[in-house]
Amino acid sequence: MFSQNLKYLRNKHNMEQIDLAHKLGRKSASSISEWEKGKYTPKMQTLVEIASIFNVNIDDLMGEDLSSDKESKPKNSFETIAAHLDGDLTEEEWQEILDYAEYVKSKRNK
């Protein structure tokens, strides 16, 4: 779902792949192309940056069809926390946070 959402959001904002690459501090659009093809998924810090650029909820970016006409959800507390911790956590620590969030979510849905 991420690859489709990325391409949708980029086009919705009239942004070329190279424009997004530059916003993410990259010199070329090759990573953006690979992500949109579904070959790779960026690291957590980059996902947070992408969600921020397009002002979308990171959970929606990863798992919802953003091209549908649903209203956007407000930013969640995870994005608020991520904005304050940006750069202070390792990729493994981000993954621990995501794993714990999934655990809490799964308990809530039971």
Side-chain angles (χ1 to χ4, degrees):
M1 189 57 51
F2 167 74
S3 60
Q4 295 168 349
N5 284 337
L6 180 61
K7 187 171 186 174
Y8 166 75
L9 290 167
R10 187 179 54 73
N11 288 326
K12 180 181 175 185
H13 289 84
N14 298 316
M15 192 181 294
E16 298 290 328
Q17 288 180 342
I18 192 66
D19 299 325
L20 179 57
H22 288 159
K23 285 184 178 281
L24 295 170
R26 295 169 185 266
K27 293 181 181 179
S28 79
S30 61
S31 294
I32 311 302
S33 175
E34 301 281 307
W35 300 337
E36 288 184 1
K37 291 176 186 174
K39 287 188 176 183
Y40 304 103
T41 302
K43 293 181 179 181
M44 185 62 205
Q45 183 174 345
T46 304
L47 290 170
V48 170
E49 290 176 34
I50 291 168
S52 177
I53 288 168
F54 294 118
N55 195 30
V56 296
N57 179 299
I58 196 163
D59 292 332
D60 291 347
L61 177 64
M62 298 305 294
E64 298 292 327
D65 181 0
L66 297 178
S67 65
S68 68
D69 289 335
K70 296 185 311 183
E71 289 187 27
S72 296
K73 295 178 185 176
K75 284 189 172 184
N76 63 24
S77 58
F78 174 76
E79 288 177 307
T80 303
I81 293 167
H84 291 291
L85 296 176
D86 191 31
D88 290 341
L89 298 176
T90 66
E91 186 174 347
E92 291 78 16
E93 290 167 330
W94 276 115
Q95 189 59 52
E96 286 181 34
I97 291 170
L98 285 176
D99 292 344
Y100 181 72
E102 286 296 326
Y103 168 74
V104 170
K105 186 176 177 182
S106 70
K107 285 185 67 173
R108 182 183 63 202
N109 292 335
K110 288 184 180 181

